[in-house]
Amino acid sequence: MACLLAWTVTASAQTAPESQLAAPPTPPLVLPELPEVPSSSFGKASPTAMEELDEHLKRVRSGDPVVRERAVREVLEAKQDWVTAIYHRVNHLADTADADAMKETLRKIRNRGRDAVRDDMRREGEKGKVETPDYFAMVAEYAAAEDESWQALISVLAMSRMLVAVGNVEAARVLIQIYVRFGEFLRVDIQKQLAELGDRAAPALIEARKHPAAKISQWSERQLDQMGKAIASELVQTTDQQALADVLRAYGRIQDPDAARIIISFANSERAQVRLAARQAVRLLGEVGNWQLRETYQDIVGKTPPRDWPWKRTAQELFYQFDRLRLAQVHQYFEAGIAAQKKGDFSAARQAFDQVLAHNPMFDRRDEMVDGYVAFAAQADAEHLDAALLAMRRAERINSDPKRQGKLESLRLTLEAEALLDRSLADQSLLRKALELDPENQRARQGIAMIERGERTRRPEYSRYYGAGAIGIVGLAAILLILLWRPKTPVPVPANVNVNVPVPVPEAAAEPAAPPQPDAAADPVPVPDPAAEPVPDAASAPEAAPAPEAAPAPEAAPVNMNVPEPALEPVPVPAPEPEPEPELEAAPAPEPPPEPEPGPEPPSEAAASPVPVPEPRPAATAAPAPIPEPKD
């Protein structure tokens, strides 16, 4: 028994570690790191920016009015990288220039400018308050190029206008720095320039509320109050996303506890720029916003965070919950897009992927959406070229595989060329560059051929098969028509009817037939009796020979197939020569008549062929048929 118990204990001791090893450990929760905060201090300016700024200021101080005027207009073309150079140049002038002399110079120029305005008002008969012209315009107009105070004054004013042209929070900070360094004689002008910046000046004024000088702090609060943005809830009511992001970071820098709850609410914003700025502001708040973070965590998760969590752990846990809730919808969009792509519905896949990028441009599985965008763009027609181009640009942006970057760019260039061709602009350079990037791009190759043919629309690959099929169908139809079509059976013509003989149409064909008269022939065409012997008449024999010359053939009428059949079959037989009478002189033989046109042959005594007669005549005697006289 003891051995059995020992064996059981040993077996359990050996199996326990195995069961513990079989269960995989729970992976630790990966919390998002708090983002880094950009610095608000100015570093060293680049030599290029300093050189360009000094060159511009030199032309502003020029004694040549034309050069100076041109430089004044070009102040609005200041570059953003000049801000740091302007900051250093302002501090240099504040350290070296005579501020009192600058103030006196400005006072004199200001009086001259106001006097000129007052004189104009008197001349025009106007009354009221005199508006002071812009300081920079007055100083440039009343120039004193040899005066150092004037040169310093116009340089400072020119740089302040450059800062307004740049228009970011750094430029607003330097504007406030000008007021701090040069004092009250430039305060009014600085206030005007900040008013022109609008919401972009608010972050710098918020930071100035914590300025070491009480005068500057109070002045900044007054400026915010005049702008109608004295509290945080008013400052965040702006449509400028960059200004809103700067405002959130500014509240974080001054560590205002009253703004902590507003900052945390923007940490779950759908807009990535604002969400990032809010989380940077939370990091700047630090311990000041700890209790607001704990309260927000309890509202989101439903339980109180542990007491031993510092503000940083609480912020990380809260941001993790924010991302989980926000990305749940994003993952639904992503899965819907993948499913639509597998079904071949690339339009629905594109729309779903657009929603993913709209909610989270840096989605961790964004590389899997490239194929869906490419498939949509490849099958897009002329009506959806703009959507296809947008899809390809997004595919290029989210692509992380450098091997297929060339193919993506090749397809995008092809679509751009097709879009230009749709506007009657043929650009083969885009298509050729597309072929260089991807030699397998048949769409680009087809586009080049289409441009060379002078076409504007792209032929589908299967168009030639359609053409061949159409030709085959037409050929088959022709063969069937030849095999099945039969000509109409012609009416049989009796063998004894000469169809070349014109038959006159009776004039009274439309009238009812009258009973035959006893003296009229039943047949309109008299048929001579072949048994009757011809009466030898010397006078009539010579007259019958020239009959074809004297009697031209009557006008042929359409053959009437209903003519009654003649009694005898017409067989053309040459007429026999008459025998000479012994008692009569032989008449000279007539010349053979010319060969007549195909028609009836002259009647002969031996042949019994029907002779066309224009009008039927009664046969009074048994003499041969008379020769019809020619009609006029």
Side-chain angles (χ1 to χ4, degrees), residues 422-560:
D422 191 53
R423 298 195 295 268
S424 302
L425 298 174
D427 189 355
Q428 294 190 30
S429 61
L430 294 176
L431 296 172
R432 298 190 185 280
K433 186 176 180 181
L435 279 178
E436 292 178 1
L437 293 171
D438 182 15
E440 299 178 359
N441 190 345
Q442 297 299 327
R443 188 166 181 171
R445 197 181 306 277
Q446 185 180 2
I448 294 175
M450 180 178 60
I451 292 175
E452 292 176 352
R453 291 193 302 264
E455 300 176 1
R456 291 184 56 186
T457 56
R458 180 166 57 94
R459 291 182 180 179
E461 291 291 338
Y462 44 81
S463 61
R464 54 183 178 180
Y465 301 111
Y466 284 167
I471 294 173
I473 292 174
V474 171
L476 182 60
I479 293 173
L480 293 176
L481 183 63
I482 293 173
L483 293 177
L484 299 179
W485 180 78
R486 292 289 186 272
K488 294 182 179 180
T489 304
V491 179
V493 181
N496 55 1
V497 176
N498 188 2
V499 296
N500 295 324
V501 177
V503 179
V505 180
E507 295 181 356
E511 299 180 359
Q517 300 297 329
D519 56 347
D523 192 350
V525 180
V527 179
D529 188 3
E533 294 182 0
V535 180
D537 189 356
S540 61
E543 294 178 357
E549 296 180 0
E555 296 182 0
V559 178
N560 187 0

Side-chain angles (χ1 to χ4, degrees), residues 216-236:
I216 302 300
S217 176
Q218 296 172 4
W219 170 79
S220 62
E221 289 183 356
R222 288 196 303 269
Q223 297 306 309
L224 289 172
D225 193 13
Q226 291 176 4
M227 294 171 60
K229 298 181 180 297
I231 57 178
S233 59
E234 295 173 344
L235 281 163
V236 296

Side-chain angles (χ1 to χ4, degrees), residues 19-42:
S19 61
Q20 293 177 0
L21 292 175
T26 303
L29 184 65
V30 179
L31 297 176
E33 291 292 335
L34 297 182
E36 295 291 334
V37 181
S39 176
S40 60
S41 60
F42 294 95

Side-chain angles (χ1 to χ4, degrees), residues 77-378:
E77 301 176 3
K79 301 178 182 178
Q80 188 170 354
D81 59 348
W82 289 7
V83 175
T84 305
I86 291 173
Y87 172 79
H88 292 289
R89 190 57 64 202
V90 165
N91 289 331
H92 177 72
L93 285 175
D95 294 335
T96 58
D98 188 351
D100 294 335
M102 292 172 60
K103 178 180 179 180
E104 183 64 20
T105 302
L106 178 60
R107 185 187 65 81
K108 293 179 181 179
I109 293 175
R110 180 176 178 273
N111 292 338
R112 292 176 63 182
R114 288 175 61 86
D115 292 341
V117 173
R118 190 179 293 109
D119 293 341
D120 293 340
M121 294 176 62
R122 290 174 182 174
R123 192 179 305 109
E124 296 176 1
E126 298 179 359
K127 295 182 179 179
K129 184 179 179 180
V130 178
E131 295 291 339
T132 303
D134 181 70
Y135 283 7
F136 185 42
M138 287 191 302
V139 173
E141 182 179 0
Y142 303 106
E146 303 299 331
D147 189 356
E148 293 184 0
S149 62
W150 178 87
Q151 293 181 359
L153 178 62
I154 197 172
S155 297
V156 172
L157 294 174
M159 287 187 288
S160 66
R161 273 45 176 191
M162 293 178 187
L163 295 171
V164 174
V166 173
N168 53 19
V169 63
E170 290 82 7
R173 291 187 187 126
V174 180
L175 278 173
I176 296 174
Q177 183 69 9
I178 291 175
Y179 169 51
V180 171
R181 295 303 305 270
F182 288 94
E184 287 294 323
F185 77 95
L186 289 179
R187 177 178 58 82
V188 176
D189 185 69
I190 295 301
Q191 291 176 178
K192 289 183 179 180
Q193 306 311 313
L194 291 173
E196 286 195 18
L197 284 177
D199 292 341
R200 295 293 181 94
L205 291 172
I206 293 172
E207 295 172 1
R209 289 170 55 184
K210 294 296 183 180
H211 196 275
K215 180 180 179 180
I216 302 300
S217 176
Q218 296 172 4
W219 170 79
S220 62
E221 289 183 356
R222 288 196 303 269
Q223 297 306 309
L224 289 172
D225 193 13
Q226 291 176 4
M227 294 171 60
K229 298 181 180 297
I231 57 178
S233 59
E234 295 173 344
L235 281 163
V236 296
Q237 295 178 7
T238 177
T239 58
D240 191 339
Q241 303 303 313
Q242 182 62 48
L244 176 58
D246 292 334
V247 165
L248 295 174
R249 281 189 286 262
Y251 273 119
R253 285 191 173 94
I254 67 174
Q255 295 184 338
D256 188 354
D258 296 335
R261 191 175 298 277
I262 296 177
I263 292 173
I264 295 172
S265 66
F266 281 100
N268 195 30
S269 174
E270 296 291 341
R271 292 161 292 184
Q273 182 182 16
V274 177
R275 182 171 65 251
L276 176 63
R279 297 186 181 189
Q280 291 172 342
V282 169
R283 181 167 183 170
L284 289 169
L285 284 173
E287 191 64 34
V288 175
N290 187 21
W291 67 270
Q292 288 92 345
L293 289 170
R294 296 178 66 87
E295 286 183 357
T296 307
Y297 181 87
Q298 184 176 1
D299 295 339
I300 296 297
V301 180
K303 61 180 180 180
T304 306
R307 284 182 167 274
D308 57 346
W309 281 6
W311 70 268
K312 186 176 181 180
R313 173 67 183 274
T314 307
Q316 289 178 315
E317 293 282 352
L318 179 61
F319 295 162
Y320 172 79
Q321 297 297 332
F322 280 161
D323 293 341
R324 183 180 62 83
L325 296 175
R326 188 184 71 259
L327 294 178
Q329 183 65 32
V330 176
H331 281 283
Q332 291 180 3
Y333 286 132
F334 176 76
E335 295 299 335
I338 293 296
Q341 180 181 343
K342 291 180 179 179
K343 294 179 181 179
D345 189 358
F346 301 117
S347 179
R350 178 190 64 86
Q351 294 177 2
F353 294 156
D354 288 347
Q355 291 290 337
V356 172
L357 295 178
H359 286 79
N360 186 12
M362 303 305 295
F363 185 62
D364 53 353
R365 299 178 63 184
R366 60 185 180 275
D367 190 62
E368 300 178 27
M369 302 186 292
V370 174
D371 294 336
Y373 279 126
V374 172
F376 170 78

Side-chain angles (χ1 to χ4, degrees), residues 45-54 79 81-82:
S46 64
T48 303
M50 291 293 294
E51 183 178 354
E52 292 177 352
L53 176 63
D54 292 340
K79 301 178 182 178
D81 59 348
W82 289 7

Side-chain angles (χ1 to χ4, degrees), residues 574-586:
E577 297 182 0
E579 297 179 1
E581 297 290 339
E583 63 274 13
L584 297 178
E585 283 185 326

